[in-house]
Amino acid sequence: MQKQLLMGNEAFAHAALKAGVRVAAGYPGTPSSEVIETIAAEHAAGRAQGIHVEWSTNEKAALELLAGAAYAGARTLFTCKQVGLNVASDALMSLNYVGIKGGTVLFVADDPGPISSQTEQDTRRFGAFAKVPVLDPATPDQGCEMIEAAYELSEAYRTPVIVRPTTRVCHASTFLEFPDVTTARDIPEEGFVRDSKWVIFPKRAFEAHGEINERLKQIAEDASTGALSAFNPIEGGGATEQGETPQLGIVAGGVSTMYVREALRILAERCHTAGVDMPAYRFMQIGMPFPFPEHAAQDFAGGLDQIIVFEELDHVIEDALLAMCGKLHAGYEVLGKLNGYTRDRGENTVDDALERLAKYLGIEQVLGAASARPLGDDVSRETSVRVSGDSTTPLAYDGALPVRPPVLCAGCPHRGSFYAIKRALGKTPAVLCGDIGCYTLGNAMPLDAVDTCLCMGAGITMAQGFSVVEPQKKTVAFVGDSTFFASGLTGIVNAVYNQHDITVAVLDNATTAMTGSQPHPGTGVTLMGPKSQPVSIESVLKAVGFKCIVHANPFVFEESAAAAKEAIEFEGPSAIIYEGPCISLSKPGEPVSIDAGACTGCKRCITEIGCPGIGFDASLRGPASGGRGQAFIDRSLCNGCGLCTQICPFDAILLPGQRPDGAEERGEGASHA
């Protein structure tokens, strides 16, 4: 056993390995990706023995693969982010009816904010919809305990179980102890046993629905009085030293539990400092939001007049308490998202909980009192930096933080692809359909090349819808190489089958870039070691019936624009495959430079492609720019891709080794392309 400082997701991976998981599969998506990556690293190092781990083509493929393994009795782990569960939902809804044999845990990471997602979808709702138990950890430590309990619960009731951490839990760090080497549990000797129960006929589904409803009652009781009750603790409840019986209740779920506990600790300190009695209250964490631990919640609510609920995303716990209040004809009032007492979206914070709890407990006056840990307006912006010996110099900053909107990286191949298509279209009416990934950022100015973005793979099929109702417009669908395999295949087949006049621009940067550069079928790299034959995007397009398929290097403008023009003018389904490596995969070249004598200060290099490696200094002067200022290159960002050298109309941007007098011939595109 070795104690290590681990990120939450790393800890969850180790917890699954300790529990004996034999097959782990998922699809990358922040904030969940590190779980599969950690398992793969442990396997590669020889510390996770007997396990199969993979990035599947998409979430649906991953869960269906795991269902087969679980039917044979293997413990399995599925990972995705909240919107990924949408893709796997077809399999999940039926899997719960069929049931499993080996423990099956679905690790689904939610993203309040949302920080890196298109929605704030709440997986607790999905659990209730699918009638699958959900565990909601407050910390990485508790999450590890929940994963172990989830496997036991899954096998005891033959049901999949969801463990739903949120971003802050996934990416928090803690010290935990795990075995140095783990071995996957053996599957039962009999393995998969043929039985009609594995086939989901209507009669069997009807019977299974009744079994599901019955087991949910049993699980809810276990969550109130059995082993699972440890995840739904109640604190306080007796009379205080002053003989005061609590009439106020506080309930929290997920990471909000820790925010509320910290806020209550700070309030207690401030009450002590201010000489104010801390009001009596009762606190409960709901670690299993579905099925709701109703009997435990009844014990908690007894004698309370009001209950305030802190949870992120939907009002799931709040709804359950309101339903219980109506069912029991109880007299308590529930305060939360529905009546504006807590945040109705986004993440909770300690500061926010502190202010709301002070108001709820009737002690707002202590917020201004001195405290061992001041928060909110009491936080000093001043810090100290050591400059020499023991002396320190205070640093203070009272201004607004600069706005840093997300932008495509300097040297990103997608920039050239977007620019080439926009230039090829010119003034031709068009609709440009985007997709989920780095290239969603193509919607920003100056590229302005993404008109729609719905969900993974939808750009291809949405373009077909536009082509039907607005045939006078050209429709272009952008899709990444990873998304092409994950959820684009259905759309490209539909385009051929129904002969839709669209152009699919495949932005092939040889990785799944946005979620951390994971491999995909087009790379041939697998997590189990041996490299398989990469799946050719062009071969797939040809196989389904695309007649026009062109290739281009997105760092070479003329080539890229010509390819775009050819594909767009083709009648029927066409495709452009833009092949240029993500900057995380390629060695940066020498930065370009500005010829101060030739720069006119026209800003076209900035207003055309918007590369963050190019800036503008209005104070610079030159023979061609006069008082207009000049562009400059940020050498810390520029990787020498060379796209800007092809955009400047005055040849004022120079490739490495090129002299301002043009004595050396200008290169064609990226130094690394």
Side-chain angles (χ1 to χ4, degrees):
M1 302 287 282
Q2 182 179 350
K3 183 168 283 191
Q4 307 172 62
L5 178 63
L6 298 170
M7 179 197 293
N9 281 347
E10 294 174 324
F12 300 143
H14 282 280
L17 291 171
K18 181 183 175 184
V21 63
R22 176 163 286 274
V23 185
Y27 186 79
T30 305
S32 71
S33 302
E34 295 87 359
V35 177
I36 289 291
E37 291 174 340
T38 301
I39 293 175
E42 290 297 297
H43 169 263
R47 293 188 294 267
Q49 299 175 359
I51 188 168
H52 173 88
V53 56
E54 69 172 55
W55 286 125
S56 299
T57 308
N58 68 11
E59 294 87 350
K60 185 174 187 289
L63 187 54
E64 290 165 352
L65 176 146
L66 296 173
Y71 287 3
R75 282 195 165 183
T76 64
L77 177 69
F78 168 85
T79 75
C80 72
K81 67 188 297 179
Q82 84 280 12
V83 288
L85 191 57
N86 299 339
V87 182
S89 62
D90 194 21
L92 175 60
M93 299 299 290
S94 296
L95 183 60
N96 193 30
Y97 274 66
V98 173
I100 49 85
K101 183 175 179 180
T104 300
V105 172
L106 280 66
F107 179 92
V108 184
D110 279 6
D111 186 22
I115 298 170
S116 56
S117 308
Q118 58 267 47
T119 69
E120 284 194 309
Q121 179 177 313
D122 194 323
T123 297
R124 295 176 301 168
R125 293 285 195 205
F126 218 125
F129 177 50
K131 298 194 172 184
V132 171
V134 179
L135 292 164
D136 189 14
T139 65
D141 309 59
Q142 188 179 60
C144 291
E145 295 173 5
M146 286 182 172
I147 284 175
E148 184 175 353
Y151 279 109
E152 299 296 331
L153 175 64
S154 176
E155 289 173 350
Y157 291 96
R158 305 179 71 86
T159 178
V161 177
I162 294 172
V163 177
R164 173 254 190 192
T166 53
T167 302
R168 300 300 172 184
V169 178
C170 291
H171 292 166
S173 294
T174 189
F175 282 97
L176 287 169
E177 192 173 67
F178 288 105
D180 296 331
V181 178
T182 58
T183 303
R185 283 196 180 189
D186 292 333
I187 66 170
E189 186 175 347
E190 73 278 6
F192 175 68
V193 178
R194 297 184 70 197
D195 191 302
S196 60
K197 69 182 180 182
W198 303 120
V199 182
I200 190 166
F201 283 121
K203 181 177 183 296
R204 173 63 197 134
F206 181 79
E207 295 170 350
H209 196 178
E211 295 167 6
I212 290 170
N213 292 336
E214 186 57 36
R215 75 179 175 224
L216 286 174
K217 294 177 186 177
Q218 296 171 17
I219 294 171
E221 188 58 36
D222 191 13
S224 291
T225 60
L228 295 173
S229 63
F231 300 132
N232 303 297
I234 298 173
E235 302 167 13
T240 65
E241 293 179 0
Q242 293 77 28
E244 184 182 0
T245 301
Q247 294 180 309
L248 302 177
I250 303 167
V251 175
V255 73
S256 298
T257 303
M258 305 310 295
Y259 299 152
V260 169
R261 282 181 171 146
E262 177 68 359
L264 289 169
R265 184 195 68 77
I266 294 168
L267 282 174
E269 285 184 1
R270 295 194 179 187
C271 283
H272 178 75
T273 300
V276 174
D277 289 335
M278 181 75 169
Y281 64 85
R282 194 177 298 153
F283 177 79
M284 182 177 187
Q285 176 194 0
I286 301 295
M288 174 171 266
F290 184 81
F292 189 68
E294 187 171 303
H295 288 166
Q298 287 178 25
D299 292 341
F300 165 80
L304 298 180
D305 293 333
Q306 288 184 328
I307 300 172
I308 190 169
V309 182
F310 290 86
E311 56 186 325
E312 291 180 336
L313 301 178
D314 284 357
H315 38 86
V316 173
I317 298 172
E318 188 177 350
D319 285 351
L321 287 170
L322 286 168
M324 187 178 78
C325 182
K327 177 181 177 180
L328 300 176
H329 304 287
Y332 61 80
E333 180 184 10
V334 180
L335 311 179
K337 296 174 182 291
L338 291 173
N339 44 26
Y341 281 83
T342 57
R343 286 183 175 176
D344 67 345
R345 58 192 176 275
E347 295 184 292
N348 290 324
T349 64
V350 175
D351 288 25
D352 184 73
L354 183 70
E355 294 182 6
R356 294 177 190 274
L357 284 169
K359 181 177 181 180
Y360 173 66
L361 295 171
I363 50 173
E364 290 175 277
Q365 70 272 23
V366 305
L367 289 180
S371 171
R373 290 190 61 184
L375 289 171
D377 293 338
D378 298 330
V379 173
S380 171
R381 293 180 179 269
E382 189 172 280
T383 58
S384 295
V385 59
R386 186 175 300 279
V387 292
S388 63
D390 294 330
S391 64
T392 58
T393 299
L395 297 176
Y397 177 72
D398 292 318
L401 293 175
V403 177
R404 293 187 176 91
V407 63
L408 291 171
C409 300
C412 175
H414 301 335
R415 180 174 287 105
S417 304
F418 285 129
Y419 183 67
I421 286 177
K422 287 293 292 282
R423 289 294 297 273
L425 283 167
K427 296 185 180 299
T428 303
V431 181
L432 307 177
C433 298
D435 214 306
I436 302 299
C438 299
Y439 43 93
T440 309
L441 298 173
N443 76 313
M445 298 298 288
L447 293 171
D448 191 25
V450 172
D451 297 321
T452 71
C453 182
L454 180 62
C455 60
M456 286 188 69
I460 297 172
T461 33
M462 289 183 69
Q464 296 167 41
F466 283 115
S467 72
V468 168
V469 297
E470 296 186 308
Q472 74 279 12
K473 294 181 180 178
K474 292 294 184 180
T475 53
V476 180
F478 296 103
V479 66
D481 45 334
S482 182
T483 302
F484 177 87
F485 294 109
S487 51
L489 297 176
T490 306
I492 68 165
V493 170
N494 195 69
V496 174
Y497 173 55
N498 288 295
Q499 279 301 293
H500 292 294
D501 183 19
I502 68 165
T503 297
V504 178
V506 182
L507 308 183
D508 185 357
N509 63 358
T511 189
T512 312
M514 192 174 191
T515 55
S517 298
Q518 293 85 6
H520 59 70
T523 69
V525 177
T526 70
L527 297 182
M528 292 301 289
K531 184 171 181 178
S532 62
Q533 178 68 34
V535 179
S536 165
I537 292 174
E538 180 179 9
S539 296
V540 171
L541 290 168
K542 284 182 178 178
V544 301
F546 271 66
K547 304 300 182 187
C548 177
I549 305 169
V550 293
H551 293 257
N553 180 348
F555 296 110
V556 183
F557 169 66
E558 294 297 339
E559 176 185 315
S560 296
K565 185 175 176 58
E566 179 183 348
I568 291 170
E569 290 180 351
F570 181 84
E571 292 294 327
S574 63
I576 320 159
I577 304 176
Y578 284 116
E579 296 164 309
C582 174
I583 64 165
S584 66
L585 303 180
S586 59
K587 184 178 180 180
E590 286 295 316
V592 299
S593 60
I594 300 290
D595 178 359
C599 179
T600 67
C602 70
K603 299 184 181 179
R604 184 170 177 181
C605 56
I606 295 171
T607 60
E608 292 281 300
I609 59 175
C611 177
I614 309 174
F616 192 83
D617 188 340
S619 68
L620 294 179
R621 299 290 181 267
S625 62
R628 287 189 296 272
Q630 292 190 337
F632 67 88
I633 301 299
D634 186 337
R635 293 180 61 86
S636 67
L637 292 177
C638 177
N639 74 340
C641 78
L643 180 63
C644 58
T645 69
Q646 303 161 69
I647 304 303
C648 177
F650 303 101
D651 294 332
I653 307 179
L654 309 177
L655 288 168
Q658 183 181 5
R659 297 204 306 266
D661 60 9
E664 292 190 24
E665 185 176 352
R666 178 179 297 274
E668 261 197 339
S671 57
H672 64 272

